[in-house]
Amino acid sequence: MPDFFCTVGFGLNDFAVLELEALPTVTVKKTLTGKVFFQSDCNAASLLALKTVERIFVNVIHDEVEPNLINDLDDWLTNKLCSKSSSLDDSLLTWKEFAKKTSDDPVKFRINARLSGIFRKSSLFQRVSSLAGSIFQQNSSLVKDLHKPDLEVFLHLNDNFFTVGLQLTKKPLSDRCYLDHIAVRSTVCVAMCMAVGLSSDDVLLDPMCGAATILVEAVKQFDCKAAVGVDCDLLQLKLAQANLNTSLSYPRIELVCGDSRIIFLKQQQFDVVLCDVPFGRKFGVPTEIHRLLTSIVNTIDAVLKPKGRIGILISEKLRQSLIDLCPPCWSLVKQHPLRLGTLPAYIVTWQK
Ligand SMILES: C[S@@+](CC[C@H](N)C(=O)[O-])C[C@H]1O[C@@H](n2cnc3c(N)ncnc32)[C@H](O)[C@@H]1O
C-alpha cells in the first residue's frame, strides 16, 4: 500500500486520525505534532475529501536525523536522497494517479523546503533546496521549474526528522471553495462538529455566528438537519448571508439579528450548540467578558434540549472561568487544546 502523510493544524491530530481510521483501507502508522503518517489503498476522492487536514502528500522519505548532522549536512542529504530514488519512482507513480497524469507525462517540479530547529538558517535554505532539486532531477524523470511546477516537493528538516513528500493538491484541502468569508478555520469548525458528534438528526444553534463558518461546515460536511445563527452585528450577518448563498446552505440555516445575552429563542429546541465566543481582546475590563460569558451560558442552557451537547471554542486564558460558571447540570466531556494562529485555545464540550 502506498505511504502518505498529511499536515494538520496544531491540536487537530486526533481528529485527523479519527477521520482516517473511518476510511476502509487506511492504516495510521505514526503521528507527530502537525503530521499524520498513514498507508492507504483508498481512491483519490476519499482521501481528498478529508475535512480536518491541511494538505496530503505521498511519502518519499521519513527518517530520523542523526546528532550533529549540521556539520555533515550536504553529504548526509545526498546519501539519503540518492538511496531513496527507487521509492521516489514508486511515489511518483502514486502521485501521477492522483494528479491524473499518464506515466510518460514529464512532470515539472520545485522544492518547497521548510527548515526548523537548528537548521532554520536562511543560508541553509538555498543550499538544501538546490541540492535536493538537483538530486531529484538527476535521479528521476522530474524536470525543475520554479515558476509553473506541476508538483511541489515538500521537504522538511527539523532537529528530529527529515521528511520528503509529493504534494497531492495545489490548494490546501482546508480551502473550501464554498466559503467567501472565513472567520474560523474550516478544519477547526469541523473539529468542533466532530467533538460533539454532530449528525444529520441534530438541530444546531450558534448564538454568536459571525460569518456562519461553523454553521456552513455543519450543514455541508455533517448534513445537520437545521441550524440557526444569531449575531448582534449586521455587518457579520451580511458576511454570513454571502457564505450561505455561495455554499447553497441557505435552505437549512436561518440567520437572526439579536443579542444572545437575552433569551429570545424558543426554550429547549436545540440538540447542539456550537459557539466560538469572543476572546476578550476587544473588551476593556475582564469583568465585561465574564458578564458576557455568564449571559451566553444562561441562554445556551435555556434553549438546549435535555441531554443536548455543547461545544465552545475559547481562549486558553478564559477556559477555566467558562468552565467554572457552567451550571451543574452540564457535565464536562472533553477539552481539546489547539491553536488559532499562535493563540492557544480549547474546544471544550459538555452534555446537559
Ligand atoms: C469570533 S466571532 C464568531 C465567528 C463565527 N463562529 C463564525 O463561524 O464565523 C464572534 C461573534 O460574536 C458576535 N457577538 C458578540 N457579542 C454578541 C452578543 N451579545 N450576541 C450575539 N452576537 C454577539 C460578534 O458580532 C462576532 O460576530
Side-chain angles (χ1 to χ4, degrees):
M1 274 204 284
D3 286 304
F4 296 88
F5 65 91
C6 55
T7 48
V8 284
F10 186 95
L12 298 188
N13 280 40
D14 290 353
F15 296 99
V17 168
L18 274 179
E19 265 202 280
L20 282 164
E21 287 181 339
L23 293 175
T25 52
V26 167
T27 312
V28 173
K29 291 289 186 190
K30 174 179 184 174
T31 60
L32 294 172
T33 307
K35 288 194 192 79
V36 180
F37 293 82
F38 60 98
Q39 285 187 321
S40 166
D41 245 346
C42 283
N43 58 30
S46 9
L47 285 189
L48 299 180
L50 288 166
K51 301 183 282 276
T52 55
V53 314
E54 290 295 330
R55 291 183 182 275
I56 307 187
F57 303 83
V58 187
N59 192 15
V60 183
I61 301 176
H62 178 64
D63 272 340
E64 282 186 25
V65 157
E66 286 161 17
N68 302 321
L69 175 62
I70 194 131
N71 304 323
D72 194 18
L73 187 59
D74 290 19
D75 286 348
W76 189 86
L77 282 176
T78 307
N79 282 339
K80 275 281 167 229
L81 291 165
C82 291
S83 68
K84 295 285 175 152
S85 53
S86 66
S87 111
L88 172 62
D89 288 341
D90 293 344
S91 307
L92 206 51
L93 281 178
T94 308
W95 180 86
K96 283 182 173 177
E97 273 175 46
F98 273 79
K100 297 197 174 70
K101 301 233 178 243
T102 66
S103 46
D104 316 321
D105 282 345
V107 175
K108 293 178 281 174
F109 81 105
R110 77 172 163 216
I111 300 286
N112 178 356
R114 189 186 300 170
L115 306 182
S116 42
I118 52 162
F119 301 105
R120 194 185 164 144
K121 294 188 176 135
S122 50
S123 57
L124 275 187
F125 179 83
Q126 197 54 43
R127 214 167 88 203
V128 168
S129 302
S130 68
L131 178 71
S134 305
I135 294 174
F136 271 110
Q137 181 144 289
Q138 280 159 23
N139 289 280
S140 69
S141 55
L142 292 169
V143 183
K144 256 198 258 183
D145 187 332
L146 298 185
H147 303 292
K148 272 194 155 189
D150 306 304
L151 163 66
E152 297 254 1
V153 177
F154 170 86
L155 181 155
H156 187 192
L157 180 64
N158 65 20
D159 296 342
N160 302 312
F161 294 103
F162 175 52
T163 309
V164 177
L166 311 182
Q167 184 173 298
L168 283 186
T169 54
K170 288 206 162 135
K171 284 189 174 172
L173 299 190
S174 55
D175 274 10
R176 310 287 204 248
C177 57
Y178 50 79
L179 284 170
D180 293 336
H181 307 282
I182 298 186
V184 189
R185 250 188 125 52
S186 55
T187 48
V188 173
C189 297
V190 169
M192 292 177 75
C193 296
M194 287 173 77
V196 292
L198 193 71
S199 81
S200 55
D201 295 328
D202 290 323
V203 178
L204 168 68
L205 169 72
D206 182 346
M208 302 172 123
C209 72
T213 338
I214 297 174
L215 298 176
V216 170
E217 286 297 289
V219 167
K220 296 290 282 185
Q221 310 284 7
F222 295 82
D223 196 27
C224 90
K225 193 153 89 189
V228 175
V230 178
D231 205 287
C232 59
D233 182 343
L234 268 176
L235 276 177
Q236 290 296 320
L237 288 171
K238 273 197 179 155
L239 303 182
Q241 190 58 56
N243 276 340
L244 266 53
N245 293 347
T246 311
S247 62
L248 301 178
S249 50
Y250 50 83
R252 280 204 241 168
I253 303 176
E254 188 185 341
L255 296 175
V256 179
C257 184
D259 184 342
S260 287
R261 290 173 297 180
I262 299 154
I263 305 166
F264 61 88
L265 294 166
K266 199 174 126 213
Q267 307 235 342
Q268 300 198 351
Q269 63 161 315
F270 295 101
D271 303 287
V272 174
V273 176
L274 289 176
C275 184
D276 154 28
V277 293
F279 280 11
R281 283 177 291 196
K282 290 190 198 144
F283 291 80
V285 278
T287 46
E288 227 182 296
I289 181 80
H290 286 112
R291 229 180 290 133
L292 174 70
L293 291 178
T294 310
S295 317
I296 296 296
V297 164
N298 283 341
T299 300
I300 295 175
D301 192 47
V303 299
L304 198 63
K305 289 180 187 166
K307 295 205 186 319
R309 289 109 67 210
I310 304 130
I312 296 183
L313 179 64
I314 185 108
S315 67
E316 184 181 42
K317 221 168 148 193
L318 291 171
R319 174 185 55 117
Q320 196 54 51
S321 317
L322 173 70
I323 292 172
D324 293 344
L325 58 81
C326 287
C329 64
W330 293 15
S331 8
L332 187 66
V333 179
K334 205 160 175 184
Q335 304 183 54
H336 307 266
L338 49 88
R339 266 196 217 139
L340 301 171
T342 54
L343 188 78
Y346 275 80
I347 299 170
V348 187
T349 58
W350 295 262
Q351 174 143 36
K352 189 172 165 186

